[in-house]
Amino acid sequence: MPPSLGAWFERDGRWLERLLSRNLRLPSAEVEDIAQDTWLRIARMAPDEVTHPRAFLSRIALNLFRDRRRREKLRQEKSHLLAANDITPLGPDRLQEQEADQLLEQIIVDLPQNLRDVFLLSRFRRMTNHDIAEHLGISVKTVEWRMSKAMEHCMTKLRG
């Protein structure tokens, strides 16, 4: 059980970086980024409740690594889709894309909490309705209803 976040970092900070470098074979800059993100995530938690600190650290770091890879893959797919349709997101178009991303992010943030939870788990965690229902302790029908309401809300806001 770590006595404090600072002591935990002193004890296991280098260990985490070596683990990421050795097991994932990442460039040092990416190792440092993931390690830093891991500690930032832990700083928002109650680290004194952790019973297996190194296992906890490695799990968070691995999840962050996987999230990065998923986002990278989505960006590549988006780029390929844009290229296949002869769309180049440069200059003013790129600015419009960023504005659209910000608008969509704000629309999602503005969703009521119960709708937002279902929407985010479905669209960004790619969970099935059944998995979402189990995760939130609600019925699949409720998940379906909330998802339809979230989509309806988003579409209404996007239309103006």
Side-chain angles (χ1 to χ4, degrees), residues 45-124:
M45 302 174 167
D48 51 322
E49 295 176 8
V50 177
T51 55
H52 302 287
R54 285 188 170 180
F56 188 69
L57 278 173
S58 61
R59 174 54 51 198
I60 289 175
L62 183 58
N63 288 344
L64 288 168
F65 169 76
R66 287 179 179 156
D67 287 347
R68 281 172 169 252
R69 289 299 178 256
R70 259 186 296 235
R71 281 192 306 272
E72 185 178 299
K73 183 179 177 186
L74 287 172
R75 275 193 295 271
Q76 288 174 351
E77 289 173 0
K78 184 178 179 182
S79 293
H80 292 310
L81 181 63
L82 292 173
N85 291 304
D86 292 328
I87 301 170
T88 55
L90 300 173
D93 291 339
R94 179 68 180 142
L95 189 58
Q96 287 176 348
E97 183 181 339
Q98 288 175 341
E99 290 170 354
D101 287 347
Q102 289 173 344
L103 174 63
L104 184 57
E105 183 178 328
Q106 189 58 50
I107 289 170
I108 293 169
V109 167
D110 289 343
L111 282 169
Q113 181 72 40
N114 61 347
L115 302 181
R116 183 173 57 236
D117 291 345
V118 169
F119 184 84
L120 292 173
L121 291 172
S122 173
R123 296 299 183 225
F124 293 97

Side-chain angles (χ1 to χ4, degrees), residues 16-36 65 68-69 72:
L16 177 62
E17 289 179 2
R18 284 191 308 271
L19 176 81
L20 292 169
S21 181
R22 183 182 61 239
N23 290 358
L24 300 177
R25 299 180 184 186
L26 300 173
S28 60
E30 193 169 359
V31 166
E32 291 171 7
D33 287 346
I34 292 173
Q36 181 180 14
F65 169 76
R68 281 172 169 252
R69 289 299 178 256
E72 185 178 299

